[in-house]
Amino acid sequence: DPGADNDLYINQAIVFIEDAIQYRSINHRVDSKSLWLYRWYYSRTCQWILGLTITIILALAFVEKPSSLTITSDVRYRLPAWNPPCGLTESVELLCFLVFVVDVSVKSYLIGWEEFWKNKWLMAYILTLIVSLTDWIVSLSFFCTENVRIRRILRPFFLLQNSSMMKKTLKSINSTLPEMASVVLLLAVHLSLFTMFAMLLFARTKDGQQDKEWMGYFRNLPDSLTSLLVLLTTANNPDVMIPAYSKNRAYSIFFILFTVLGNLFLMNLLTAIIYNQFRGYLLKSVQSSLFRRRLGIRAAFEVLSSLKETPANAQQSYVSAGALLRVLQKVEMDSRCKQAIMRSLKTCSCDQLSASQFQKLFEELDKDAIKQHPPSPEYQSHFMQKMQFAFGHSYFGYLGNVVALANIVSICVVLVMDADKQPSERDDFFLGAINCFFILYYLLEMLLKILAMGLKRYLSYPSNRFDGLLTVILLVLEIATFAVYGFPHPGWRPEFLGLLSLWDMVRLVNMLIVFRFLRIIPNMKFMALVVTTLLDLVKNLRAFAGILVVVFYAFAITGIMLFKGAVVPIGNYYLSRRNVILWLSFLFGNFQAEVVYCVLYILSVNLICRWAKIYFVAWWLISSVIWVNLFVALLLENFIHKWDRRCHREPLSDIEYQRTVELMFRDVLEEPTEEELMEKLHQHPHLQLCR
Amino acid sequence: DPGADNDLYINQAIVFIEDAIQYRSINHRVDSKSLWLYRWYYSRTCQWILGLTITIILALAFVEKPSSLTITSDVRYRLPAWNPPCGLTESVELLCFLVFVVDVSVKSYLIGWEEFWKNKWLMAYILTLIVSLTDWIVSLSFFCTENVRIRRILRPFFLLQNSSMMKKTLKSINSTLPEMASVVLLLAVHLSLFTMFAMLLFARTKDGQQDKEWMGYFRNLPDSLTSLLVLLTTANNPDVMIPAYSKNRAYSIFFILFTVLGNLFLMNLLTAIIYNQFRGYLLKSVQSSLFRRRLGIRAAFEVLSSLKETPANAQQSYVSAGALLRVLQKVEMDSRCKQAIMRSLKTCSCDQLSASQFQKLFEELDKDAIKQHPPSPEYQSHFMQKMQFAFGHSYFGYLGNVVALANIVSICVVLVMDADKQPSERDDFFLGAINCFFILYYLLEMLLKILAMGLKRYLSYPSNRFDGLLTVILLVLEIATFAVYGFPHPGWRPEFLGLLSLWDMVRLVNMLIVFRFLRIIPNMKFMALVVTTLLDLVKNLRAFAGILVVVFYAFAITGIMLFKGAVVPIGNYYLSRRNVILWLSFLFGNFQAEVVYCVLYILSVNLICRWAKIYFVAWWLISSVIWVNLFVALLLENFIHKWDRRCHREPLSDIEYQRTVELMFRDVLEEPTEEELMEKLHQHPHLQLCR
């Protein structure tokens, strides 16, 4: 039936083009029903539901039994957290699991059985679901009183498997592991040799008077190891060396040698290794995205060229413009792009498209949306034109910056003057009057700019939107203040009224004013460069951040399970003080945020203390050492690339916030050759090409 | 007089070739007397005297009045340091100054007056000398009782100006300063905005109960600024956020935002900037060294070609082999290189050398000394041959490593077992017996290896030298122990005899055994790579280390002057705890190493405290931020280059310790062209070339 065949080809072309737009793989089933299922699965609604399910199942940890949804983290003051009844969170969980079961079945069906057996991620997905469901049944049959819930540690896997970027990143990290392991081994050797040295050097002396160092830090092997490990994070420096140093200055050589070798050389060696591995990472990932896009377009061309309506041509295959138009109308894509492609299809005025012409049409997809700001209004009156010139000029913007700076300085002066005053002595009049004046200026500035530029043009600049929004909020707050507390006058110290006290209102206004000051950023070239690079970085870091969330989550849940009910003694010092306590205490139900020294508990909870040590060392290695280094590597990569570009060509006057990673690398990307594309197409497991 | 002319040319060629060997500039006077002076000035003796003078003048700080040459650093216990009488250190100083005066005069004379006025370093040198001498006269006329000694801060300049590498590095750092300043400005903006936020957020509340955060960290503007600055170094994290966090978990968002933006983004941005600037630094410096070498050789060729004995040739200039031989005999250079050049000159058997032939002869200089290990002795006896095979085999080396590991483990076990014992309960017999056994094995291993390889071949391996030396020392120590305390037996706990107690002897032996364990390094590939790279890095870092010494010295002297006689309160926390206290207390005479909190002294020494804050912030910026980043940049550069090489070709079986920086970059270096060389030669201020 040629009509049905033609419909199938059209549908295939639609799906392939959508794959190309979304950088998806085209290796899925291509019969009519599967195509319908595929489009349904990748429709916005379905993907949104899947995302929501993942969010819900991850967020369950906040309300589940050892929950930490309390305002204060201090165990002495906080009220007992709300405990959901047994079965409530469990039924939500079951719903989520059902969604995942549907998800994994559809996915497995769509890629086909042969592919399924090769796909380890899908297998792991199914395994995770089976384990989770079993654990869920066990949990319900114990009426939620069981201690260990394996499924909670497995949860972040659902986040991981749903993002192809994260899977790719994980693969990259995985390939770096052997070299990282070598450095960690080196660190271990370094640590153990120095520990032995330390134990011999700071041994117990016979007189027992001067062995403070031995008492405090090198009493036995685990203590010595811990002391030096913590010294590696520089958290207990210089405390650890003070007793020895005050006995004999020469002892400092030992500590300096240890720190220089360990912290300066070996730790930075890790940075170097990771940077070296990730140097090409971004480029490679963008390159493979490009390949997927070109492949999808080429596949669409190939299926369209097998349409019966095209004349059989032995030498080259062609696609009729009409068929492409029909496909385009059904493809879901950015309307601007679609219109641009249709326009160039019409201007081309060719009836038959060759492969390269076809490919060229879709290059519109790679192009950046060039943002056209709407025109300013044209005034007839001469006075208005002058006004427009004056207030549309960039100097007016600079004046606004100067006024914002003056406001900041005035707030600062008042804060310094009020610093040592009692709250009752404080006169809120001065700050109130100043703010009133400045907010009026901001309002005026906004109105004049809108007058000069027209509302549409004004709103088309992100800096103006930021500015305008904050001005409106400030205005609303100020009006609310006046409505509740009346106009400012000397000795303006009214009683508490309404939601917030006057002092709180003023503080809030001031904070917003400080925040509004950030509008100066685009005016400073270097700052603008830094900020745009940071924004780019945030985009590129999403996959890493996702993996970090996965690791955090798993660690937090493990921590809850390990240290359940016990006040956690966290090592003789706060190991890797940077953020461990901070981040973990977000999720830990009964984690005391105030630092409790292990020493106090060493007798009663010795076992837990040792577990805690291992736990925190693992945490420090992963979060502080590996992740921070990954971050530094990516930052180096991004910045250096950006700088090189900046040197090559002058920056545009207007900073374009729309810049994507693909565009950043456009100059260095390689277009895939026709042979590569066709070879890949012929390897497609479900698509049989005629030729 | 053609004979005198010829002698002059020969001498010029000698000096130019020596310049080329030492990578020196050839822009100096070239008349006979100046050449003699030049060779005298760059002779080993003169340069050694100059180096010694610099060392002496820098070391004076250790014995001068607020000296710190005491064993303990604890002000409570230590004896008053030796105070040299007035005039002693001053006369040593005067001697040093006189040497510097001679140095600067010779240098200025040699480069000529026109060049002198362009050379800012020489001008600064003279200025420094004038200021120092004036200060010295003032000092003596006050009988050493004056408070401020400017000349002590100026001392490191003498170190700086004597090294061309350091001057070059300083220039590179200087060119990075504008971008670094931008980031530091960004950091300052970041800090001040967040300080204002913090002061508004953690303001004094009316009830006065819950404002622990305000009390502790954000009482006024300087306090808030300090708290957040210290948070940037993560030294007071998480202490600073605990009060706010235990009030409301949401406050942590403020601190996390501050730390992520400041510490993770902006600080690493600094790394990226510095790395980006220094990426080509090593290559560029090696490239310019190569240019100097080629230029020196070429200059020698040009002057030799103007010798009267060569036949006038209109087209090309030639140098006679005889003249070159005469020059070579007088040049001071590595004898291996000299012989190699003479040998190839003879085998070439050409009478006239063209420029390229001449250049080619001297390429021997760039070549690495290929280390030929002497051959093993050849034994006649069949038994001896078998012995030689067995003990010369690499498995015998591995066995040695295993035994060393076993020794380490046994020491470790004894240490763990003895950890909690009183010194009087400890039985030294076990450790003594074990060590005795192992040291005998080490001795046997060394002797067998010498037997198998012959003494010369054995000593030609650095790992064997390390091994052998330690074995001999261990043997001597062991024999000394037996001589003093007799042979080990159970209950071996003799009284204190001789220089060291038995326990100290055993500890020393054990430490040496742990140290000896490092011999395994060359056997592990990755470790060997890391270690060789580190050694390379140390070579490349000499210039940076020199600059660091200069900065340290200046800071330490400033510190002594600023905080003279006062117990130094060092800020509310120990700012940049890493190494400030440590390093500075090396030189600070009256710097209390035990941490004294500023709070205690805030009323009495408020002024000093504020100075101390500024001083320590500056110190932190320079030592911790900038220098550590420079170090990371160089490390990245070195490692990445090395890894790329490792990927390109397989590593040699034997690690070559002789590898120089020049060799590392040989593949990428560009040879200077003939035009460049000749252009540079024609710009020479003192050499008039005939053509």
Side-chain angles (χ1 to χ4, degrees):
Chain A
D1 182 6
D5 260 15
N6 276 0
D7 272 359
L8 176 62
Y9 290 145
I10 293 283
N11 279 334
Q12 285 177 349
I14 291 170
V15 169
F16 286 148
I17 288 174
E18 283 177 0
D19 285 345
I21 292 166
Q22 305 287 338
Y23 299 116
R24 285 196 299 251
S25 159
I26 60 163
N27 289 348
H28 49 77
R29 287 177 196 262
V30 289
D31 55 293
S32 284
K33 276 182 191 161
S34 305
L35 284 179
W36 178 84
L37 187 65
Y38 188 82
R39 286 195 81 186
W40 172 81
Y41 178 74
Y42 282 108
S43 67
R44 259 185 220 161
T45 329
C46 271
Q47 289 299 308
W48 187 82
I49 289 173
L50 193 59
L52 185 71
T53 313
I54 293 171
T55 315
I56 287 174
I57 203 165
L58 286 177
L60 272 182
F62 286 98
V63 289
E64 272 174 344
K65 201 177 158 195
S67 103
S68 61
L69 267 190
T70 50
I71 289 176
T72 170
S73 64
D74 197 328
V75 281
R76 290 168 302 177
Y77 303 123
R78 77 164 182 234
L79 302 166
W82 175 66
N83 260 342
C86 177
L88 185 68
T89 58
E90 279 74 13
S91 41
V92 175
E93 241 178 325
L94 185 65
L95 277 177
C96 293
F97 287 148
L98 291 181
V99 172
F100 291 139
V101 168
V102 173
D103 177 47
V104 77
S105 340
V106 172
K107 255 190 188 160
S108 313
Y109 172 74
L110 281 175
I111 68 161
W113 292 114
E114 284 133 62
E115 295 291 302
F116 172 77
W117 293 112
K118 293 181 212 154
N119 194 326
K120 279 174 199 152
W121 279 102
L122 271 182
M123 310 280 257
Y125 195 1
I126 290 174
L127 200 72
T128 312
L129 272 175
I130 291 171
V131 172
S132 297
L133 278 169
T134 319
D135 192 52
W136 183 86
I137 292 166
V138 170
S139 187
L140 267 206
S141 61
F142 278 98
F143 297 105
C144 321
T145 53
E146 87 292 359
N147 280 320
V148 183
R149 294 190 178 185
I150 307 163
R151 66 176 188 280
R152 289 171 70 181
I153 304 179
L154 294 178
R155 270 178 201 160
F157 179 83
F158 300 122
L159 176 65
L160 202 62
Q161 67 77 31
N162 194 41
S163 150
S164 61
M165 269 293 274
M166 271 163 77
K167 285 191 269 190
K168 223 188 288 175
T169 309
L170 207 65
K171 216 170 145 191
S172 291
I173 295 177
N174 204 29
S175 69
T176 324
L177 280 184
E179 283 194 330
M180 276 202 259
S182 315
V183 179
V184 172
L185 186 77
L186 260 185
L187 263 179
V189 170
H190 168 75
L191 203 62
S192 47
L193 284 187
F194 267 90
T195 305
M196 293 200 59
F197 255 125
M199 285 183 75
L200 289 164
L201 207 58
F202 307 115
R204 196 173 203 171
T205 47
K206 289 223 164 120
D207 52 357
Q209 289 287 333
Q210 295 195 300
D211 47 5
K212 268 189 264 174
E213 189 74 38
W214 174 82
M215 280 284 285
Y217 300 98
F218 300 100
R219 192 178 261 273
N220 50 39
L221 191 70
D223 269 13
S224 312
L225 214 55
T226 313
S227 295
L228 287 183
L229 186 67
V230 178
L231 185 58
L232 211 58
T233 72
T234 72
N236 61 352
N237 176 17
D239 312 353
V240 68
M241 66 166 288
I242 290 300
Y245 181 68
S246 67
K247 198 169 148 195
N248 189 332
R249 281 171 196 269
Y251 280 128
S252 61
I253 295 168
F254 171 82
F255 292 99
I256 291 168
L257 215 63
F258 177 81
T259 313
V260 167
L261 276 179
N263 204 348
L264 218 54
F265 277 95
L266 292 179
M267 285 299 198
N268 287 329
L269 178 54
L270 217 58
T271 313
I273 281 179
I274 295 177
Y275 174 63
N276 198 39
Q277 282 285 331
F278 275 81
R279 254 196 311 169
Y281 165 76
L282 278 183
L283 181 64
K284 224 168 25 185
S285 115
V286 174
Q287 181 77 55
S288 84
S289 295
L290 183 81
F291 187 79
R292 281 189 167 185
R293 174 162 282 179
R294 296 286 179 265
L295 190 66
I297 301 289
R298 183 67 193 218
F301 174 80
E302 291 296 326
V303 292
L304 282 182
S305 73
S306 1
L307 278 179
K308 290 294 168 297
E309 44 189 271
T310 45
N313 191 320
Q315 295 300 324
Q316 252 187 315
S317 40
Y318 284 100
V319 164
S320 78
L324 179 56
L325 262 179
R326 268 166 65 201
V327 168
L328 274 179
Q329 269 150 6
K330 288 189 191 161
V331 165
E332 268 187 37
M333 65 192 288
D334 183 39
S335 61
R336 186 192 58 76
C337 267
K338 194 187 267 190
Q339 277 163 16
I341 293 174
M342 285 188 168
R343 211 177 307 127
S344 47
L345 187 61
K346 267 167 203 157
T347 52
C348 146
S349 76
C350 40
D351 221 35
Q352 302 286 324
L353 295 161
S354 72
S356 59
Q357 281 173 319
F358 193 86
Q359 201 68 269
K360 198 159 193 172
L361 273 180
F362 283 93
E363 265 170 22
E364 190 64 37
L365 288 174
D366 306 331
K367 280 182 195 153
D368 205 7
I370 295 160
K371 214 174 176 186
Q372 291 274 342
H373 296 290
S376 303
E378 280 177 28
Y379 293 108
Q380 300 300 323
S381 130
H382 199 66
F383 171 71
M384 287 301 275
Q385 280 177 2
K386 267 190 181 165
M387 290 275 281
Q388 190 171 22
F389 176 77
F391 300 120
H393 201 277
S394 58
Y395 284 157
F396 186 60
Y398 296 151
L399 179 67
N401 290 343
V402 170
V403 172
L405 183 67
N407 195 353
I408 293 273
V409 170
S410 71
I411 292 174
C412 204
V413 167
V414 173
L415 278 179
V416 169
M417 287 190 336
D418 280 359
D420 286 323
K421 278 187 195 160
Q422 288 291 329
S424 52
E425 295 168 24
R426 209 161 40 205
D427 192 352
D428 296 337
F429 163 67
F430 190 52
L431 213 51
I434 289 175
N435 283 348
C436 187
F437 164 73
F438 278 112
I439 290 169
L440 278 180
Y441 175 82
Y442 296 153
L443 182 68
L444 192 72
E445 189 192 5
M446 186 177 73
L447 293 176
L448 285 174
K449 270 194 177 170
I450 292 177
L451 182 85
M453 304 167 86
L455 187 62
K456 272 190 185 168
R457 187 177 170 82
Y458 179 81
L459 286 180
S460 71
Y461 289 95
S463 61
N464 281 343
R465 284 201 295 273
F466 173 80
D467 213 30
L469 185 71
L470 277 177
T471 307
V472 170
I473 294 175
L474 281 173
L475 194 68
V476 169
L477 269 176
E478 199 66 14
I479 290 170
T481 311
F482 293 156
V484 178
Y485 296 105
F487 281 94
H489 54 268
W492 188 40
R493 245 176 298 121
E495 288 305 297
F496 186 91
L497 288 168
L499 280 170
L500 290 165
S501 72
L502 176 61
W503 173 232
D504 287 333
M505 291 286 246
V506 171
R507 270 166 64 200
L508 192 59
V509 166
N510 284 341
M511 277 188 243
L512 287 175
I513 287 173
V514 173
F515 190 56
R516 188 180 172 279
F517 185 64
L518 292 181
R519 61 172 248 169
I520 62 150
I521 287 177
N523 290 121
M524 290 168 72
K525 241 179 197 163
F526 186 77
M527 264 187 159
L529 177 79
V530 167
V531 170
T532 50
T533 318
L534 288 189
L535 289 179
D536 275 1
L537 196 65
V538 169
K539 276 185 218 152
N540 297 336
L541 271 180
R542 270 181 308 183
F544 285 91
I547 291 174
L548 192 68
V549 167
V550 168
V551 174
F552 269 176
Y553 198 91
F555 256 93
I557 297 287
T558 319
I560 290 176
M561 281 185 0
L562 276 182
F563 310 126
K564 204 175 178 180
V567 171
V568 179
I570 48 161
N572 219 323
Y573 329 90
Y574 1 133
L575 223 163
S576 81
R577 310 149 44 111
R578 307 199 174 212
N579 37 20
V580 173
I581 298 160
L582 200 64
W583 283 105
L584 289 180
S585 49
F586 265 127
L587 280 179
F588 276 19
N590 30 26
F591 186 94
Q592 191 167 6
E594 286 184 331
V595 175
V596 187
Y597 275 29
C598 186
V599 200
L600 298 173
Y601 298 88
I602 204 146
L603 292 171
S604 58
V605 282
N606 205 355
L607 189 74
I608 283 188
C609 182
R610 223 167 258 178
W611 275 109
K613 240 182 219 174
I614 292 169
Y615 175 80
F616 277 101
V617 169
W619 171 251
W620 166 72
L621 263 180
I622 289 175
S623 89
S624 189
V625 176
I626 294 180
W627 199 82
V628 166
N629 277 325
L630 272 175
F631 181 85
V632 172
L634 267 184
L635 195 127
L636 279 175
E637 172 91 10
N638 260 35
F639 265 99
I640 286 171
H641 199 90
K642 203 125 198 191
W643 266 311
D644 283 357
R645 277 169 53 87
R646 190 181 59 153
C647 296
H648 287 160
R649 48 170 158 161
E650 276 301 293
L652 301 167
S653 59
D654 217 352
I655 302 122
E656 288 180 25
Y657 286 94
Q658 261 75 20
R659 183 158 291 156
T660 57
V661 199
E662 287 76 31
L663 284 171
M664 198 167 108
F665 286 102
R666 186 182 280 163
D667 321 333
V668 268
L669 282 183
E670 278 177 29
E671 282 288 328
T673 64
E674 171 130 11
E675 286 72 37
E676 285 169 347
L677 288 177
M678 289 311 288
E679 196 198 327
K680 196 81 194 172
L681 269 184
H682 284 293
Q683 286 168 4
H684 195 288
H686 306 289
L687 189 70
Q688 265 75 42
L689 289 178
C690 310
R691 280 146 301 133
Chain B
D1 182 9
D5 260 12
N6 277 0
D7 273 357
L8 176 62
Y9 290 145
I10 293 282
N11 279 334
Q12 283 176 351
I14 291 170
V15 169
F16 286 148
I17 288 174
E18 283 177 359
D19 285 345
I21 292 166
Q22 305 287 339
Y23 300 116
R24 286 196 298 251
S25 161
I26 59 163
N27 288 347
H28 49 77
R29 287 178 196 260
V30 288
D31 55 293
S32 284
K33 276 183 190 160
S34 305
L35 284 180
W36 177 84
L37 187 65
Y38 188 82
R39 287 195 82 186
W40 173 80
Y41 178 74
Y42 282 108
S43 69
R44 261 188 217 157
T45 327
C46 270
Q47 289 299 309
W48 186 83
I49 289 173
L50 193 58
L52 184 73
T53 313
I54 293 171
T55 315
I56 287 174
I57 203 164
L58 285 178
L60 272 182
F62 287 97
V63 288
E64 272 174 345
K65 203 178 159 196
S67 104
S68 60
L69 269 189
T70 51
I71 290 175
T72 171
S73 63
D74 197 327
V75 281
R76 289 168 302 177
Y77 304 123
R78 76 164 183 235
L79 302 166
W82 175 66
N83 260 341
C86 178
L88 185 67
T89 57
E90 281 72 13
S91 41
V92 175
E93 241 178 325
L94 186 64
L95 277 178
C96 293
F97 287 147
L98 290 181
V99 173
F100 292 139
V101 168
V102 173
D103 176 45
V104 77
S105 340
V106 172
K107 255 190 188 161
S108 312
Y109 171 75
L110 282 176
I111 67 161
W113 292 114
E114 282 133 63
E115 294 292 302
F116 172 77
W117 293 111
K118 293 182 211 152
N119 194 325
K120 277 174 201 153
W121 279 102
L122 271 183
M123 309 281 256
Y125 195 3
I126 290 174
L127 200 72
T128 311
L129 272 175
I130 291 171
V131 172
S132 298
L133 279 170
T134 318
D135 192 52
W136 184 87
I137 291 166
V138 169
S139 188
L140 266 205
S141 60
F142 277 98
F143 296 105
C144 321
T145 53
E146 88 291 1
N147 280 319
V148 184
R149 293 189 179 185
I150 307 164
R151 66 176 189 279
R152 290 171 68 180
I153 304 180
L154 294 178
R155 272 177 200 160
F157 179 83
F158 300 122
L159 176 65
L160 201 61
Q161 66 77 33
N162 195 41
S163 150
S164 62
M165 271 291 275
M166 271 163 77
K167 284 190 270 189
K168 225 189 286 176
T169 310
L170 207 65
K171 217 169 146 192
S172 289
I173 296 177
N174 204 27
S175 70
T176 325
L177 280 184
E179 283 194 330
M180 277 203 259
S182 314
V183 180
V184 172
L185 186 76
L186 260 185
L187 263 179
V189 170
H190 168 76
L191 203 62
S192 48
L193 283 187
F194 267 88
T195 305
M196 292 202 62
F197 255 124
M199 286 184 75
L200 289 164
L201 208 57
F202 306 114
R204 195 176 206 169
T205 48
K206 287 220 166 120
D207 51 358
Q209 289 286 333
Q210 296 196 298
D211 46 5
K212 268 189 264 174
E213 189 74 39
W214 174 81
M215 279 285 285
Y217 301 98
F218 298 100
R219 194 177 259 274
N220 49 40
L221 191 69
D223 269 13
S224 312
L225 214 56
T226 313
S227 294
L228 288 183
L229 186 66
V230 177
L231 184 58
L232 211 59
T233 72
T234 73
N236 60 352
N237 177 18
D239 313 352
V240 68
M241 65 166 289
I242 291 299
Y245 181 68
S246 67
K247 198 168 149 197
N248 189 331
R249 281 171 196 269
Y251 280 128
S252 61
I253 295 169
F254 171 83
F255 292 100
I256 292 168
L257 216 62
F258 177 81
T259 313
V260 167
L261 276 178
N263 204 348
L264 218 53
F265 277 95
L266 292 180
M267 284 299 198
N268 287 329
L269 180 54
L270 217 58
T271 314
I273 282 180
I274 294 177
Y275 174 63
N276 198 40
Q277 282 284 331
F278 274 82
R279 254 194 313 169
Y281 165 76
L282 277 183
L283 181 64
K284 224 166 28 183
S285 114
V286 174
Q287 182 75 56
S288 82
S289 296
L290 183 80
F291 188 80
R292 281 189 168 183
R293 176 162 282 180
R294 296 285 181 268
L295 190 65
I297 302 289
R298 182 67 194 218
F301 175 80
E302 291 296 327
V303 292
L304 283 182
S305 73
S306 359
L307 278 179
K308 291 295 168 296
E309 42 192 275
T310 46
N313 190 318
Q315 294 303 324
Q316 252 186 315
S317 40
Y318 285 100
V319 166
S320 77
L324 179 57
L325 263 180
R326 267 167 66 201
V327 168
L328 273 179
Q329 269 151 4
K330 286 189 191 161
V331 166
E332 269 187 38
M333 67 194 287
D334 184 39
S335 63
R336 185 193 58 77
C337 268
K338 195 187 265 190
Q339 275 161 19
I341 293 175
M342 284 188 169
R343 210 178 307 127
S344 47
L345 188 61
K346 267 166 204 155
T347 52
C348 144
S349 74
C350 39
D351 220 38
Q352 300 287 324
L353 295 161
S354 71
S356 59
Q357 282 173 320
F358 193 86
Q359 200 70 267
K360 200 160 190 171
L361 273 180
F362 283 93
E363 263 169 25
E364 191 63 39
L365 287 175
D366 306 330
K367 280 182 197 154
D368 207 6
I370 296 160
K371 215 173 175 185
Q372 292 274 341
H373 296 291
S376 303
E378 280 176 30
Y379 293 108
Q380 300 299 324
S381 132
H382 198 65
F383 171 72
M384 286 301 276
Q385 279 175 5
K386 269 191 181 167
M387 289 275 280
Q388 189 172 25
F389 175 77
F391 300 119
H393 202 275
S394 59
Y395 284 157
F396 186 62
Y398 296 152
L399 179 68
N401 291 343
V402 171
V403 172
L405 183 65
N407 194 353
I408 293 274
V409 170
S410 70
I411 291 175
C412 204
V413 167
V414 173
L415 277 178
V416 168
M417 287 189 336
D418 280 359
D420 285 322
K421 279 188 194 158
Q422 288 290 331
S424 53
E425 295 167 25
R426 212 162 37 204
D427 191 351
D428 296 336
F429 164 66
F430 191 52
L431 214 52
I434 289 176
N435 282 349
C436 186
F437 165 74
F438 278 112
I439 289 169
L440 279 181
Y441 175 83
Y442 297 153
L443 182 67
L444 192 72
E445 190 192 3
M446 185 178 75
L447 293 176
L448 285 174
K449 270 194 177 170
I450 292 176
L451 181 85
M453 304 166 85
L455 187 63
K456 271 190 187 167
R457 187 177 170 81
Y458 179 82
L459 286 180
S460 73
Y461 289 95
S463 61
N464 283 344
R465 284 201 295 271
F466 173 80
D467 215 28
L469 185 70
L470 277 177
T471 308
V472 170
I473 293 174
L474 281 173
L475 194 70
V476 169
L477 269 176
E478 200 66 13
I479 290 170
T481 311
F482 294 157
V484 178
Y485 296 105
F487 281 94
H489 54 268
W492 187 39
R493 245 177 299 120
E495 289 303 298
F496 186 92
L497 290 167
L499 279 170
L500 290 165
S501 74
L502 176 61
W503 173 232
D504 287 334
M505 291 287 248
V506 171
R507 270 165 65 199
L508 192 59
V509 167
N510 285 341
M511 277 189 243
L512 287 175
I513 286 172
V514 173
F515 190 57
R516 187 179 173 279
F517 186 65
L518 292 181
R519 60 171 247 170
I520 62 151
I521 286 177
N523 291 121
M524 292 168 72
K525 240 180 196 162
F526 186 77
M527 262 186 159
L529 177 78
V530 167
V531 170
T532 50
T533 318
L534 288 190
L535 289 180
D536 275 3
L537 196 65
V538 169
K539 275 185 216 152
N540 296 335
L541 270 180
R542 269 181 307 185
F544 284 92
I547 290 175
L548 192 69
V549 167
V550 168
V551 173
F552 269 176
Y553 198 92
F555 256 93
I557 296 288
T558 318
I560 292 178
M561 279 184 4
L562 276 181
F563 311 126
K564 202 175 179 180
V567 172
V568 178
I570 48 161
N572 219 322
Y573 330 89
Y574 3 131
L575 224 166
S576 82
R577 310 149 44 110
R578 309 199 172 211
N579 37 21
V580 172
I581 297 158
L582 200 64
W583 282 105
L584 289 180
S585 48
F586 265 126
L587 280 180
F588 276 20
N590 31 25
F591 187 93
Q592 191 167 6
E594 285 184 334
V595 175
V596 186
Y597 276 31
C598 184
V599 201
L600 298 174
Y601 298 89
I602 204 148
L603 292 170
S604 58
V605 281
N606 205 356
L607 189 74
I608 284 187
C609 182
R610 221 166 259 177
W611 276 108
K613 239 182 221 174
I614 293 171
Y615 175 80
F616 277 100
V617 168
W619 172 250
W620 167 72
L621 264 179
I622 289 175
S623 91
S624 188
V625 176
I626 293 180
W627 200 80
V628 166
N629 277 325
L630 272 176
F631 181 85
V632 172
L634 265 183
L635 195 126
L636 279 174
E637 171 92 9
N638 260 35
F639 265 99
I640 286 171
H641 198 89
K642 203 123 199 192
W643 265 310
D644 283 357
R645 278 169 54 89
R646 191 181 59 154
C647 295
H648 288 161
R649 49 169 155 160
E650 277 301 292
L652 301 168
S653 60
D654 217 354
I655 301 125
E656 287 180 26
Y657 286 93
Q658 262 73 22
R659 184 156 290 155
T660 56
V661 200
E662 287 76 31
L663 284 171
M664 198 166 108
F665 286 101
R666 186 182 280 164
D667 320 335
V668 268
L669 281 183
E670 278 178 28
E671 282 287 330
T673 62
E674 170 130 9
E675 286 73 38
E676 284 169 348
L677 287 178
M678 288 311 288
E679 197 198 325
K680 198 79 193 171
L681 270 184
H682 283 293
Q683 285 169 6
H684 195 289
H686 305 289
L687 188 70
Q688 264 78 40
L689 289 178
C690 311
R691 278 147 302 135

